[in-house]
Amino acid sequence: MSVEIPENMEEVAMQLAQHQVRGEQVDEKAVIQNAVRDILQAFFDEALEGHYDDVKWDGDDLVITDIMGDEVGRIQPQSSSFIDDFKNDADSLIERLENATAKIVGGR
């Protein structure tokens, strides 16, 4: 995973501080949402040995589309949102995203 992608709440706080130092207005929710999407995107890029699938938000779900733009997977939060999942147990969420990636990539 990239150093730029926060993987826990401590790293979220550090990234928020970095944004504030640069004078950028970013809230915790945005940092976590970006982190969750970027973590999943990194798993897909690694599994496919390149950037072939795109991960995007569709409401509270993460949707994975292939190079043709067809939906190949959808992941839903375990709780009310991925933000809550991340705050409650980021390690478990990351493991779940990694497992979902393997399932979606392996199912093709």
Side-chain angles (χ1 to χ4, degrees):
M1 206 72 53
S2 168
V3 173
E4 297 296 317
I5 303 173
E7 294 184 16
N8 56 50
M9 288 306 294
E10 181 179 320
E11 292 175 7
V12 166
M14 290 186 334
Q15 193 169 87
L16 280 169
Q18 288 174 348
H19 284 292
Q20 288 176 343
V21 166
R22 293 184 213 133
E24 301 168 352
Q25 295 296 322
V26 179
D27 65 0
E28 182 181 84
K29 179 181 174 183
V31 171
I32 294 171
Q33 280 184 315
N34 289 337
V36 171
R37 184 198 59 229
D38 292 348
I39 288 167
L40 185 58
Q41 184 69 62
F43 284 141
F44 271 91
D45 291 352
E46 182 180 328
L48 297 170
E49 297 179 3
H51 186 92
Y52 298 101
D53 291 355
D54 287 317
V55 176
K56 296 183 179 166
W57 288 103
D58 180 19
D60 290 328
D61 296 351
L62 286 165
V63 175
I64 301 90
T65 55
D66 65 14
I67 200 162
M68 301 301 293
D70 297 327
E71 185 176 315
V72 295
R74 178 177 290 265
I75 304 171
Q76 299 175 327
Q78 280 190 320
S79 65
S80 60
S81 72
F82 279 107
I83 293 168
D84 289 341
D85 289 352
F86 189 94
K87 286 181 175 181
N88 293 333
D89 190 350
D91 290 336
S92 177
L93 172 60
I94 291 169
E95 184 177 334
R96 193 165 67 83
L97 294 175
E98 187 173 22
N99 291 338
T101 300
K103 183 177 178 180
I104 293 167
V105 169
R108 293 195 222 171

